[in-house]
Amino acid sequence: MEPVRPFPAPQEGSLEERLERGDLIPLQPCPIPLPSETDRDFLYMQRLSGSKNINFNPATGAVSGFRRQTADQPARVQKILGNFSSAACDWIRATLRYTVTADRATFRPEEEAIRRLRITARNDLLHIDAFSTRPTNGGRLLRLFVNLHPTDLRVWATSETFAKLLEEFGAQAGLPESEKLTWLERILNLFQKSETASTPYDQFMVRFQRFLKRNAEFQEHARKTFWHFRPGTGWLVMSDGVAYAELRGRFALEHSFFVSSESLALPHLAPAVLLASTGKIPELTLPKSACAISQQHLSHQLEASARNFASSLADASG
Ligand SMILES: [Fe+2]
């Protein structure tokens, strides 16, 4: 077995500050109860049914992504991933001073080093995370991973922070063009609550993720820190704030969380705020905590505009 190199020395600051600065936090041993040995053996036998991972939605209890083999299999997958999700949510809420929304728990049965995926779906290329179907609306993405393999390491590389990547590649990737939004679109953005609606910020993050994966020069020459996670090790990372690649390993558990902008320790480092500092993102998509005064002022103006607009429509239809 190859020797495991020590993890890089931890940076200074609280856990929240380190996460928001782009640090990866190893959890060795993993503090979250993991599936029993028999449940792990059951998970090792699962195969994908065309999707990228096996998924559990904590909001609905729905499981998907596995190839159906037996009648009792869905309930067992649901129970194992549901237990992991509950334990992960409890630990995150007890450990971090964040307001979080649980997103999805996943089990990853495939070997990352040899998966055949289209380039923008590959995990083994350096990228930041952005979910095209589940926008954050400016909140941050926190992810918990666990190496569930019985014997093998899981190997990652981390690279530059979002701030550095934005400075170097933001313009090439295509910054949002706020001037193209009409006042009506800005008003609608303000009241946008739908989970599936996507803001200019979310659209940029997805575009930026794809840009980085397709950038061969960046993939080849970017600074990299390598991580070797032993079986049973967990790790935490805000994966919208630092580029990473999953280079090798199979059988991992993962849970993603949306972190409310208002609960961040270092809101000025949030990608939405950094993107706003380019002057290209509509101000209304900023987290409130990062621009409380200006946004509050603008929000009042826009709420008044929205009321006037609504009443003018009512007048017109009446
Ligand atoms: Fe990713």
Side-chain angles (χ1 to χ4, degrees):
M1 188 172 168
E2 65 186 275
V4 180
R5 277 175 274 177
F7 294 134
Q11 304 297 306
E12 303 227 321
S14 68
L15 207 49
E16 291 84 356
E17 288 170 343
R18 290 170 59 197
L19 285 166
E20 290 170 45
R21 283 195 207 111
D23 283 3
L24 182 152
I25 314 287
L27 306 168
Q28 192 176 34
C30 181
I32 295 147
L34 297 178
S36 67
E37 206 172 316
T38 50
D39 282 344
R40 286 187 211 189
D41 288 341
F42 171 79
L43 286 178
Y44 298 153
M45 291 189 298
Q46 301 309 308
R47 293 295 171 267
L48 296 175
S49 64
S51 78
K52 203 171 156 186
N53 306 307
I54 295 173
N55 303 294
F56 172 81
N57 181 345
T60 63
V63 283
S64 61
F66 53 92
R67 195 185 305 158
R68 290 284 285 265
Q69 292 162 314
T70 61
D72 61 350
Q73 179 193 7
R76 191 162 176 196
V77 172
Q78 184 183 44
K79 186 161 183 236
I80 296 169
L81 293 187
N83 287 343
F84 167 69
S85 175
S86 298
C89 291
D90 289 348
W91 185 82
I92 288 285
R93 292 190 169 114
T95 307
L96 297 169
R97 292 186 296 269
Y98 284 145
T99 305
V100 297
T101 304
D103 177 38
R104 299 281 192 274
T106 59
F107 177 63
R108 293 141 182 264
E110 296 288 315
E111 169 55 58
E112 297 292 352
I114 55 168
R115 294 185 77 169
R116 296 175 68 85
L117 294 168
R118 68 182 190 282
I119 191 165
T120 53
R122 280 174 57 180
N123 296 329
D124 62 328
L125 296 170
L126 287 171
H127 65 287
I128 51 137
D129 275 336
F131 304 146
S132 57
T133 56
R134 304 192 303 283
T136 70
N137 297 306
R140 298 212 57 180
L141 276 179
L142 174 67
R143 304 187 89 179
L144 165 73
F145 292 83
V146 183
N147 182 5
L148 209 64
H149 199 286
T151 57
D152 291 358
L153 301 172
R154 193 167 183 89
V155 182
W156 269 39
T158 52
S159 183
E160 304 293 355
T161 62
F162 176 84
K164 190 124 193 264
L165 294 169
L166 181 67
E167 191 183 333
E168 190 168 353
F169 299 118
Q172 287 180 59
L175 293 168
E177 295 293 337
S178 60
E179 61 274 14
K180 285 184 184 165
L181 288 184
T182 64
W183 274 98
L184 179 57
E185 286 169 326
R186 285 172 170 241
I187 291 166
L188 292 174
N189 272 348
L190 178 64
F191 295 106
Q192 189 167 269
K193 296 289 182 198
S194 164
E195 269 193 19
T196 54
S198 190
T199 63
Y201 164 72
D202 291 293
Q203 289 162 15
F204 171 80
M205 293 298 277
V206 170
R207 189 161 65 245
F208 201 39
Q209 180 193 66
R210 292 172 180 168
F211 171 87
L212 294 174
K213 285 186 178 181
R214 289 188 177 117
N215 189 328
E217 175 81 9
F218 168 67
Q219 296 295 329
E220 181 73 19
H221 299 295
R223 176 185 67 84
K224 298 178 186 78
T225 301
F226 292 95
W227 302 79
H228 298 75
F229 302 107
R230 295 173 195 270
T233 300
W235 58 103
L236 277 176
V237 65
M238 277 196 160
S239 58
D240 55 356
V242 63
Y244 76 101
E246 302 185 62
L247 299 176
R248 207 175 81 194
R250 65 184 301 198
F251 302 140
L253 283 168
E254 174 268 342
H255 208 305
S256 49
F257 299 88
F258 299 125
V259 179
S260 146
S261 305
E262 285 76 12
S263 64
L264 293 171
L266 303 172
H268 62 287
L269 294 185
V273 176
L274 293 167
L275 190 56
S277 71
T278 65
K280 292 287 190 179
I281 188 93
E283 190 172 1
L284 292 176
T285 61
L286 277 171
K288 284 178 193 158
S289 56
C291 54
I293 297 171
S294 62
Q295 186 174 357
Q296 212 171 29
H297 178 67
L298 193 55
S299 294
H300 287 152
Q301 282 187 325
L302 285 171
E303 279 175 34
S305 300
R307 275 196 299 274
N308 290 340
F309 179 69
S311 66
S312 70
L313 282 182
D315 289 346
S317 61

PDB file of all heavy atoms in Angstrom, residues 16-29:
ATOM      1  N   GLU A  16     -15.573  28.097  10.314  1.00  0.00           N
ATOM      2  CA  GLU A  16     -16.348  28.810   9.289  1.00  0.00           C
ATOM      3  C   GLU A  16     -15.437  29.686   8.437  1.00  0.00           C
ATOM      4  O   GLU A  16     -15.568  29.719   7.200  1.00  0.00           O
ATOM      5  CB  GLU A  16     -17.442  29.670   9.942  1.00  0.00           C
ATOM      6  CG  GLU A  16     -18.573  28.893  10.596  1.00  0.00           C
ATOM      7  CD  GLU A  16     -18.239  28.449  12.016  1.00  0.00           C
ATOM      8  OE1 GLU A  16     -17.091  28.672  12.473  1.00  0.00           O
ATOM      9  OE2 GLU A  16     -19.127  27.868  12.672  1.00  0.00           O
ATOM     10  N   GLU A  17     -14.512  30.412   9.096  1.00  0.00           N
ATOM     11  CA  GLU A  17     -13.605  31.296   8.348  1.00  0.00           C
ATOM     12  C   GLU A  17     -12.712  30.497   7.408  1.00  0.00           C
ATOM     13  O   GLU A  17     -12.480  30.893   6.265  1.00  0.00           O
ATOM     14  CB  GLU A  17     -12.759  32.117   9.320  1.00  0.00           C
ATOM     15  CG  GLU A  17     -13.558  33.190  10.034  1.00  0.00           C
ATOM     16  CD  GLU A  17     -12.793  33.836  11.175  1.00  0.00           C
ATOM     17  OE1 GLU A  17     -11.771  33.252  11.642  1.00  0.00           O
ATOM     18  OE2 GLU A  17     -13.219  34.905  11.624  1.00  0.00           O
ATOM     19  N   ARG A  18     -12.230  29.368   7.902  1.00  0.00           N
ATOM     20  CA  ARG A  18     -11.354  28.537   7.055  1.00  0.00           C
ATOM     21  C   ARG A  18     -12.118  28.007   5.848  1.00  0.00           C
ATOM     22  O   ARG A  18     -11.606  28.016   4.721  1.00  0.00           O
ATOM     23  CB  ARG A  18     -10.787  27.383   7.885  1.00  0.00           C
ATOM     24  CG  ARG A  18      -9.776  27.857   8.921  1.00  0.00           C
ATOM     25  CD  ARG A  18      -9.414  26.740   9.887  1.00  0.00           C
ATOM     26  NE  ARG A  18      -8.862  25.592   9.190  1.00  0.00           N
ATOM     27  CZ  ARG A  18      -8.771  24.373   9.729  1.00  0.00           C
ATOM     28  NH1 ARG A  18      -9.189  24.149  10.955  1.00  0.00           N
ATOM     29  NH2 ARG A  18      -8.257  23.387   9.039  1.00  0.00           N
ATOM     30  N   LEU A  19     -13.337  27.545   6.079  1.00  0.00           N
ATOM     31  CA  LEU A  19     -14.142  27.044   4.959  1.00  0.00           C
ATOM     32  C   LEU A  19     -14.392  28.151   3.938  1.00  0.00           C
ATOM     33  O   LEU A  19     -14.260  27.941   2.733  1.00  0.00           O
ATOM     34  CB  LEU A  19     -15.484  26.505   5.479  1.00  0.00           C
ATOM     35  CG  LEU A  19     -15.434  25.152   6.176  1.00  0.00           C
ATOM     36  CD1 LEU A  19     -16.724  24.898   6.945  1.00  0.00           C
ATOM     37  CD2 LEU A  19     -15.197  24.021   5.179  1.00  0.00           C
ATOM     38  N   GLU A  20     -14.718  29.327   4.432  1.00  0.00           N
ATOM     39  CA  GLU A  20     -15.082  30.420   3.514  1.00  0.00           C
ATOM     40  C   GLU A  20     -13.869  30.981   2.782  1.00  0.00           C
ATOM     41  O   GLU A  20     -14.000  31.594   1.731  1.00  0.00           O
ATOM     42  CB  GLU A  20     -15.833  31.515   4.295  1.00  0.00           C
ATOM     43  CG  GLU A  20     -17.213  31.054   4.716  1.00  0.00           C
ATOM     44  CD  GLU A  20     -17.915  31.987   5.685  1.00  0.00           C
ATOM     45  OE1 GLU A  20     -17.893  33.208   5.452  1.00  0.00           O
ATOM     46  OE2 GLU A  20     -18.473  31.493   6.677  1.00  0.00           O
ATOM     47  N   ARG A  21     -12.673  30.760   3.346  1.00  0.00           N
ATOM     48  CA  ARG A  21     -11.452  31.178   2.631  1.00  0.00           C
ATOM     49  C   ARG A  21     -11.018  30.155   1.591  1.00  0.00           C
ATOM     50  O   ARG A  21     -10.059  30.373   0.868  1.00  0.00           O
ATOM     51  CB  ARG A  21     -10.309  31.355   3.635  1.00  0.00           C
ATOM     52  CG  ARG A  21     -10.396  32.627   4.432  1.00  0.00           C
ATOM     53  CD  ARG A  21      -9.052  32.887   5.117  1.00  0.00           C
ATOM     54  NE  ARG A  21      -9.239  33.665   6.306  1.00  0.00           N
ATOM     55  CZ  ARG A  21      -9.070  33.228   7.546  1.00  0.00           C
ATOM     56  NH1 ARG A  21      -8.673  31.973   7.753  1.00  0.00           N
ATOM     57  NH2 ARG A  21      -9.262  34.007   8.561  1.00  0.00           N
ATOM     58  N   GLY A  22     -11.671  28.994   1.565  1.00  0.00           N
ATOM     59  CA  GLY A  22     -11.335  27.998   0.548  1.00  0.00           C
ATOM     60  C   GLY A  22     -10.527  26.820   1.072  1.00  0.00           C
ATOM     61  O   GLY A  22     -10.050  26.012   0.282  1.00  0.00           O
ATOM     62  N   ASP A  23     -10.383  26.712   2.394  1.00  0.00           N
ATOM     63  CA  ASP A  23      -9.663  25.557   2.951  1.00  0.00           C
ATOM     64  C   ASP A  23     -10.515  24.291   2.863  1.00  0.00           C
ATOM     65  O   ASP A  23     -11.737  24.348   2.997  1.00  0.00           O
ATOM     66  CB  ASP A  23      -9.358  25.774   4.439  1.00  0.00           C
ATOM     67  CG  ASP A  23      -8.206  26.719   4.647  1.00  0.00           C
ATOM     68  OD1 ASP A  23      -7.682  27.241   3.649  1.00  0.00           O
ATOM     69  OD2 ASP A  23      -7.837  26.927   5.816  1.00  0.00           O
ATOM     70  N   LEU A  24      -9.843  23.180   2.690  1.00  0.00           N
ATOM     71  CA  LEU A  24     -10.490  21.874   2.830  1.00  0.00           C
ATOM     72  C   LEU A  24     -10.204  21.413   4.257  1.00  0.00           C
ATOM     73  O   LEU A  24      -9.062  21.489   4.724  1.00  0.00           O
ATOM     74  CB  LEU A  24      -9.922  20.903   1.795  1.00  0.00           C
ATOM     75  CG  LEU A  24     -10.522  19.506   1.758  1.00  0.00           C
ATOM     76  CD1 LEU A  24     -10.402  18.930   0.343  1.00  0.00           C
ATOM     77  CD2 LEU A  24      -9.862  18.565   2.756  1.00  0.00           C
ATOM     78  N   ILE A  25     -11.236  20.933   4.961  1.00  0.00           N
ATOM     79  CA  ILE A  25     -11.089  20.525   6.364  1.00  0.00           C
ATOM     80  C   ILE A  25     -11.207  19.005   6.463  1.00  0.00           C
ATOM     81  O   ILE A  25     -12.305  18.451   6.323  1.00  0.00           O
ATOM     82  CB  ILE A  25     -12.185  21.156   7.255  1.00  0.00           C
ATOM     83  CG1 ILE A  25     -12.361  22.647   6.955  1.00  0.00           C
ATOM     84  CG2 ILE A  25     -11.911  20.872   8.725  1.00  0.00           C
ATOM     85  CD1 ILE A  25     -11.276  23.543   7.452  1.00  0.00           C
ATOM     86  N   PRO A  26     -10.103  18.288   6.691  1.00  0.00           N
ATOM     87  CA  PRO A  26     -10.201  16.832   6.868  1.00  0.00           C
ATOM     88  C   PRO A  26     -10.856  16.493   8.211  1.00  0.00           C
ATOM     89  O   PRO A  26     -10.659  17.199   9.193  1.00  0.00           O
ATOM     90  CB  PRO A  26      -8.730  16.374   6.872  1.00  0.00           C
ATOM     91  CG  PRO A  26      -7.938  17.538   6.397  1.00  0.00           C
ATOM     92  CD  PRO A  26      -8.714  18.762   6.748  1.00  0.00           C
ATOM     93  N   LEU A  27     -11.654  15.438   8.212  1.00  0.00           N
ATOM     94  CA  LEU A  27     -12.311  14.960   9.437  1.00  0.00           C
ATOM     95  C   LEU A  27     -11.867  13.511   9.629  1.00  0.00           C
ATOM     96  O   LEU A  27     -12.442  12.597   9.025  1.00  0.00           O
ATOM     97  CB  LEU A  27     -13.832  15.039   9.297  1.00  0.00           C
ATOM     98  CG  LEU A  27     -14.411  16.408   8.896  1.00  0.00           C
ATOM     99  CD1 LEU A  27     -15.876  16.277   8.496  1.00  0.00           C
ATOM    100  CD2 LEU A  27     -14.246  17.417  10.021  1.00  0.00           C
ATOM    101  N   GLN A  28     -10.815  13.333  10.404  1.00  0.00           N
ATOM    102  CA  GLN A  28     -10.214  12.005  10.528  1.00  0.00           C
ATOM    103  C   GLN A  28     -10.055  11.642  12.008  1.00  0.00           C
ATOM    104  O   GLN A  28      -9.242  12.285  12.688  1.00  0.00           O
ATOM    105  CB  GLN A  28      -8.855  11.994   9.843  1.00  0.00           C
ATOM    106  CG  GLN A  28      -8.269  10.622   9.649  1.00  0.00           C
ATOM    107  CD  GLN A  28      -6.963  10.666   8.865  1.00  0.00           C
ATOM    108  OE1 GLN A  28      -6.191  11.608   8.988  1.00  0.00           O
ATOM    109  NE2 GLN A  28      -6.718   9.651   8.066  1.00  0.00           N
ATOM    110  N   PRO A  29     -10.856  10.676  12.520  1.00  0.00           N
ATOM    111  CA  PRO A  29     -11.854   9.885  11.785  1.00  0.00           C
ATOM    112  C   PRO A  29     -13.124  10.686  11.561  1.00  0.00           C
ATOM    113  O   PRO A  29     -13.333  11.724  12.190  1.00  0.00           O
ATOM    114  CB  PRO A  29     -12.107   8.712  12.732  1.00  0.00           C
ATOM    115  CG  PRO A  29     -11.906   9.293  14.093  1.00  0.00           C
ATOM    116  CD  PRO A  29     -10.784  10.296  13.939  1.00  0.00           C
TER     117      PRO A  29
END
